[in-house]
Amino acid sequence: MEHEPPGRRRARRSLLLPFAAVLVLATIGSSVLIVRHTQRADDYYRAADPNSGAGDSTLTAGTSAGQTLPAAIASVDTLNAVQPSVASYGVAVLDRTTGQLTLGSEGATPLYSASVVKLFTVVDILHRTEADGLVLTPVQQADIQRALSLSDDSAMNALWNQFGGSRTVIEMIGLANLRDTRPPANPGEWGETLISARDVVEVYQYLLSSMGQSSRDTVLGALASAQQSGADGFDQAFGLLRGPRSATVAAKQGWMIDGPQLYLHSTGVTGPSGRYVIALLSAQPATIGYQTAKAYLSAAATTVVDALAH
């Protein structure tokens, strides 16, 4: 929930170590978890490009990406060790070709969702159009687009109120078998929904593997056209949307300050044929300000994405 307009809180000097220095500590050890994820069909990208397929990437199981990704995620995990009492970085990456899910040490840690919950609500609404024959009005369709591409809070408020609020989160828990997600304690504060990086990955995978073409087009089209500035003027060009933006990325961002913590998230689909689903969630000290927090999350995103590309 974008409670904090960018002009209201100025960026402050960072109290954390520079990210590049922190990466050196990653050689000490890693608690990265690699598991097999159920592999499912993907025809969204085949429909967009009949000559493409889920397996047409130059990366294959057993190549360097499979070896370097755990190390890259371990380097991001090191940020948790620097300021464990006030900072948390949750990372999850799903390779949809091999079915391999790689989790960082905080990949299952619940954090406030901020605007990432907009994705959960929209996917649940679109599920109802498929399963229950729900017909959306033109205004509701526009609100979905604005909630995803502009992270428009007013659009989300309308959708949240019209479609049952916390019910959309509860239904997504069941639909995608989410393990760490909980609806907000105060039903009116949708940004305080608890989510984990691995649950965000599961929502994307549910969209890509279990929903119809129209629903996938709606969500991924909106996320691929995410604007430079959100509806509140906040610069969304961080994390997976850092410049220069990859032509293959479709992402949902989130930002919120709540008390002593700043929540900054970047989640989405990227890579050839939408091969990779990435969730980068962070709870950082509010004292560092948004600009420094963006720099940290963008550096983490670069580390992870580069490991997938080499």
Side-chain angles (χ1 to χ4, degrees), residues 138-212:
V139 172
Q140 290 167 338
Q141 293 172 5
D143 282 341
I144 284 174
Q145 291 295 315
R146 290 186 61 82
L148 294 179
S149 63
L150 291 169
S151 206
D152 190 321
D153 285 353
S154 295
M156 175 58 171
N157 288 339
L159 296 171
W160 185 259
N161 291 330
Q162 292 167 20
F163 293 99
S166 294
R167 174 188 167 192
T168 63
V169 175
I170 294 169
E171 289 182 348
M172 277 311 308
I173 292 172
L175 290 171
N177 298 314
L178 307 182
R179 287 175 281 181
D180 313 308
T181 297
R182 299 292 182 273
N186 179 346
E189 295 292 338
W190 43 260
E192 295 179 3
T193 299
L194 289 171
I195 62 173
S196 67
R198 71 174 175 182
D199 276 2
V200 174
V201 165
E202 291 292 353
V203 172
Y204 278 106
Q205 177 67 345
Y206 178 82
L207 169 72
L208 290 167
S209 64
S210 299
M211 298 190 71

Side-chain angles (χ1 to χ4, degrees), residues 144-146 148-150 217-227 250-251:
I144 284 174
Q145 291 295 315
R146 290 186 61 82
L148 294 179
S149 63
L150 291 169
D217 287 348
T218 294
V219 174
L220 293 181
L223 296 184
S225 62
Q227 301 299 296

Side-chain angles (χ1 to χ4, degrees), residues 4-296:
E4 192 76 7
R8 188 175 298 172
R9 183 182 295 271
R10 296 184 178 181
R12 298 173 174 85
R13 186 182 303 273
S14 173
L15 301 179
L16 303 181
L17 293 176
F19 188 84
V22 171
L23 296 186
V24 176
L25 300 177
T27 58
I28 296 174
S30 169
S31 57
V32 173
L33 175 65
I34 301 175
V35 298
R36 295 292 300 177
H37 192 286
T38 303
Q39 189 170 354
R40 301 167 183 168
D42 173 19
D43 55 3
Y44 171 81
Y45 289 94
R46 291 192 182 93
D49 179 3
N51 296 318
S52 72
D56 64 359
S57 167
T58 56
L59 296 173
T60 58
T63 62
S64 60
Q67 300 164 8
T68 60
L69 179 60
I73 291 180
S75 70
V76 178
D77 283 344
T78 307
L79 289 172
N80 294 308
V82 175
Q83 292 282 349
S85 63
V86 292
S88 181
Y89 293 79
V91 187
V93 179
L94 172 65
D95 183 335
R96 302 185 65 245
T97 296
T98 65
Q100 180 173 296
L101 175 65
T102 307
L103 298 179
S105 62
E106 302 294 326
T109 298
L111 298 175
Y112 277 167
S113 67
S115 279
V116 175
V117 74
K118 292 170 182 172
L119 172 71
F120 290 49
T121 291
V122 167
V123 171
D124 179 64
I125 292 170
L126 294 177
H127 165 76
R128 296 186 206 179
T129 68
E130 295 182 2
D132 305 329
L134 173 69
V135 177
L136 301 176
T137 68
V139 172
Q140 290 167 338
Q141 293 172 5
D143 282 341
I144 284 174
Q145 291 295 315
R146 290 186 61 82
L148 294 179
S149 63
L150 291 169
S151 206
D152 190 321
D153 285 353
S154 295
M156 175 58 171
N157 288 339
L159 296 171
W160 185 259
N161 291 330
Q162 292 167 20
F163 293 99
S166 294
R167 174 188 167 192
T168 63
V169 175
I170 294 169
E171 289 182 348
M172 277 311 308
I173 292 172
L175 290 171
N177 298 314
L178 307 182
R179 287 175 281 181
D180 313 308
T181 297
R182 299 292 182 273
N186 179 346
E189 295 292 338
W190 43 260
E192 295 179 3
T193 299
L194 289 171
I195 62 173
S196 67
R198 71 174 175 182
D199 276 2
V200 174
V201 165
E202 291 292 353
V203 172
Y204 278 106
Q205 177 67 345
Y206 178 82
L207 169 72
L208 290 167
S209 64
S210 299
M211 298 190 71
Q213 180 80 42
S214 177
S215 295
R216 295 195 299 274
D217 287 348
T218 294
V219 174
L220 293 181
L223 296 184
S225 62
Q227 301 299 296
Q228 177 82 14
S229 296
D232 64 353
F234 192 88
D235 186 358
Q236 297 194 82
F238 63 89
L240 297 177
L241 295 183
R242 69 202 184 285
R245 184 185 301 189
S246 168
T248 67
V249 72
K252 182 70 196 79
Q253 313 284 68
W255 56 93
M256 179 177 79
I257 289 179
D258 184 81
Q261 290 200 299
L262 179 157
Y263 297 90
L264 194 69
H265 311 319
S266 187
T267 73
V269 179
T270 192
S273 303
R275 176 172 177 173
Y276 301 105
V277 182
I278 302 173
L280 293 160
L281 307 184
S282 72
Q284 305 185 50
T287 52
I288 71 174
Y290 276 124
Q291 290 307 113
T292 299
K294 286 181 183 180
Y296 274 83

